[in-house]
Amino acid sequence: MSIEKIVQQSLQDGYLTPAMEAEVGRICDNANELSIEEYMALDRLMGALLTGEVIAVPRKQFINVMEELVLTEAIARVAEIEATSETSLDVGDIAAYALNRLPPLYATTEEGASYQRQHAKTELQELIAQQVSEAISRYLDRPNFFPERQVLGKNTGNEVLRQVSTLLQAYAPNFEQKSPS
């Protein structure tokens, strides 16, 4: 998407989203120089932001309180297990498994977050503990199919291509690309 299209979209919607802002930044970072049209579009966007015609949406206006509650429980349980055995556990895997089976508890203010925490401690603590226990059991029982798994955010484009190429070689070793006749 071009700077002009992003600016046009933000003027039409009245909002500049974090994704739109990031795309404008990416274009500006990768361009040797911007065209007159791009400068004019950025100037129009800046003016619209200053007058309030366009509102920049903050990156995150809310939190899921359930994430912190599950992480706290998972860290405590993993620490107990790791202190009494040679087993090493991945807190991220365990938390993600449990979070996928629990209701989200979103809040937009500190007061809302406090309310959600209190609600969860009285109404959902047992369910949270149960889901974290289930996640740990699943983690300990899982087969090691993909020892080469990559943690989110660690892949580069070339690494993804290499992994896809390796998968294709493993699953289609006799595939040969036909040359056009």
Side-chain angles (χ1 to χ4, degrees):
M1 191 177 250
S2 70
I3 289 176
E4 292 95 329
K5 284 190 175 158
I6 292 170
V7 171
Q8 181 183 356
Q9 184 71 48
S10 68
L11 290 168
Q12 179 182 321
D13 297 345
Y15 292 99
L16 180 68
T17 67
M20 295 163 87
E21 186 182 340
E23 182 63 11
V24 168
R26 188 193 65 74
I27 292 168
C28 290
D29 288 346
N30 292 330
N32 289 336
E33 62 181 61
L34 298 176
S35 69
I36 300 289
E37 293 79 17
E38 288 171 318
Y39 277 116
M40 288 173 58
L42 287 173
D43 189 51
R44 176 76 179 100
L45 178 61
M46 187 59 69
L49 286 165
L50 289 171
T51 62
E53 182 185 351
V54 171
I55 296 166
V57 179
R59 294 206 182 280
K60 198 169 183 183
Q61 294 179 305
F62 48 84
I63 60 167
N64 180 0
V65 174
M66 186 60 80
E67 290 179 11
E68 73 182 55
L69 299 171
V70 167
L71 265 174
T72 301
E73 179 73 17
I75 289 168
R77 298 291 303 282
V78 165
E80 286 173 16
I81 292 168
E82 288 181 347
T84 59
S85 71
E86 293 295 310
T87 306
S88 179
L89 301 166
D90 186 319
V91 172
D93 277 357
I94 291 162
Y97 182 95
L99 283 165
N100 282 331
R101 287 152 184 82
L102 290 163
L105 297 174
Y106 287 103
T108 58
T109 64
E110 280 303 319
E111 295 79 10
S114 294
Y115 171 82
Q116 293 288 36
R117 280 184 203 100
Q118 197 54 47
H119 164 70
K121 285 178 183 169
T122 59
E123 304 284 323
L124 300 169
Q125 190 57 47
E126 192 175 313
L127 184 59
I128 293 169
Q130 177 188 340
Q131 289 303 327
V132 169
S133 292
E134 174 68 19
I136 290 170
S137 295
R138 290 285 182 140
Y139 185 87
L140 292 172
D141 290 343
R142 74 178 164 70
N144 200 8
F145 287 130
F146 300 105
E148 74 285 353
R149 329 184 285 159
Q150 296 290 317
V151 175
L152 278 176
K154 300 290 185 190
N155 287 348
T156 63
N158 291 338
E159 181 60 20
V160 171
L161 287 175
R162 187 194 62 71
Q163 289 177 9
V164 169
S165 176
T166 302
L167 277 173
L168 287 173
Q169 288 171 3
Y171 289 106
N174 299 324
F175 175 78
E176 289 181 38
Q177 192 169 4
K178 303 233 187 266
S179 54
S181 20

